[in-house]
Amino acid sequence: AQSVSQHNHHVILSEAASLELGCNYSYGGTVNLFWYVQYPGQHLQLLLKYFSGDPLVKGIKGFEAEFIKSKFSFNLRKPSVQWSDTAEYFCAVNPMDTGRRALTFGSGTRLQVQP
Amino acid sequence: DVKVTQSSRYLVKRTGEKVFLECVQDMDHENMFWYRQDPGLGLRLIYFSYDVKMKEKGDIPEGYSVSREKKERFSLILESASTNQTSMYLCASRQGLVSGANVLTFGAGSRLTVL
């Protein structure tokens, strides 16, 4: 079965620090990749996605992620975090050439940004 | 914007009760999903439906069933609720699996407590 690993469960940063959240997945074929974010008290919402093409994708609020196929990774980055980035972040993978038609999510990373 | 509406934000039920969680989407999406979200476990897929009256088991279907009689509505049923089903339940929908349409929109969630 496919799996998605998020290595950092809880990250605490000060404002203006740089952020990198790791995500690795186990499937070797064609994939769609996603980062979703859940701000306190809000719905899960899409942060960014990779379908094909340029492996460096940009999302909302200054976030970006890089797809490295050889490492089965899709790490999320932001050069300078803000207090408003405090949220839980979920990586998700959808294999595109198997019978699995749904996204598999990682366990999430809770980010706390201190002012 | 797509709207996914979950009818109940908070429910408290007793062990053995039958529980219905309702979800409605308003953008004619083909696919609908039920996930449960638990701390440290991320989102786990219970069931999804790729078309009316069509369903597939996800990773944790035991103790759950689903119904999709109309395209816009996807119901999750707990035939006999148990305390280990206390969780946040998230409904999601998407237009389809082809790249570009493969983006989930989530509802606000239904927090179920089983006593």
Side-chain angles (χ1 to χ4, degrees):
Chain A
Q2 294 89 22
S3 68
V4 179
S5 298
Q6 291 184 241
H7 318 295
N8 317 100
H9 299 293
H10 190 192
V11 173
I12 302 173
L13 295 173
S14 298
E15 276 193 312
S18 64
L19 171 71
E20 180 158 2
L21 300 182
C23 174
N24 286 91
Y25 60 94
S26 64
Y27 181 69
T30 303
V31 291
N32 285 176
L33 298 162
F34 307 83
W35 277 95
Y36 279 82
V37 60
Q38 188 171 37
Y39 298 103
Q42 295 189 24
H43 299 199
L44 268 162
Q45 58 185 277
L46 181 69
L47 197 56
L48 49 77
K49 61 188 184 292
Y50 171 81
F51 290 154
S52 64
D54 188 344
L56 185 62
V57 293
K58 296 192 185 297
I60 60 172
K61 305 187 179 185
F63 286 89
E64 65 178 32
E66 185 174 14
F67 170 46
I68 303 179
K69 190 173 183 178
S70 61
K71 294 186 178 180
F72 302 94
S73 71
F74 190 55
N75 292 354
L76 181 71
R77 300 194 291 247
K78 187 172 184 178
S80 176
V81 295
Q82 301 173 306
W83 178 79
S84 58
D85 294 324
T86 294
E88 191 158 18
Y89 294 80
F90 295 92
C91 180
V93 175
N94 198 158
M96 298 303 288
D97 46 15
T98 69
R100 172 82 172 188
R101 306 190 222 200
L103 274 66
T104 298
F105 284 81
S107 56
T109 298
R110 188 170 297 277
L111 172 66
Q112 186 178 342
V113 180
Q114 296 176 330
Chain B
D1 279 351
V2 178
K3 198 168 182 181
V4 178
T5 303
Q6 295 184 231
S7 55
S8 304
R9 281 291 268 137
Y10 300 95
L11 303 95
V12 180
K13 298 292 182 180
R14 298 208 173 272
T15 301
E17 281 193 82
K18 191 169 187 175
V19 182
F20 292 88
L21 300 180
E22 303 285 338
C23 175
V24 177
Q25 51 95 2
D26 65 359
M27 282 297 288
D28 203 36
H29 279 182
E30 298 290 329
N31 304 161
M32 296 187 74
F33 305 82
W34 278 105
Y35 287 88
R36 64 177 279 179
Q37 182 180 8
D38 299 288
L41 296 178
L43 280 72
R44 292 178 292 164
L45 181 67
I46 304 172
Y47 267 98
F48 79 96
S49 168
Y50 47 94
D51 204 345
V52 175
K53 297 186 189 281
M54 308 300 283
K55 61 188 179 186
E56 278 189 24
K57 292 180 180 179
D59 300 315
I60 51 164
E62 296 79 17
Y64 304 95
S65 61
V66 291
S67 172
R68 193 165 179 206
E69 296 296 317
K70 293 186 178 181
K71 193 173 187 179
E72 67 270 18
R73 187 179 298 270
F74 191 35
S75 303
L76 180 69
I77 304 151
L78 289 66
E79 293 289 341
S80 177
S82 63
T83 54
N84 63 11
Q85 293 178 308
T86 291
S87 186
M88 172 68 88
Y89 290 88
L90 298 178
C91 177
S93 72
R94 75 179 173 199
Q95 185 177 352
L97 185 53
V98 297
S99 288
N102 187 16
V103 174
L104 297 189
T105 300
F106 283 88
S110 297
R111 185 168 294 281
L112 172 66
T113 301
V114 183
L115 302 175

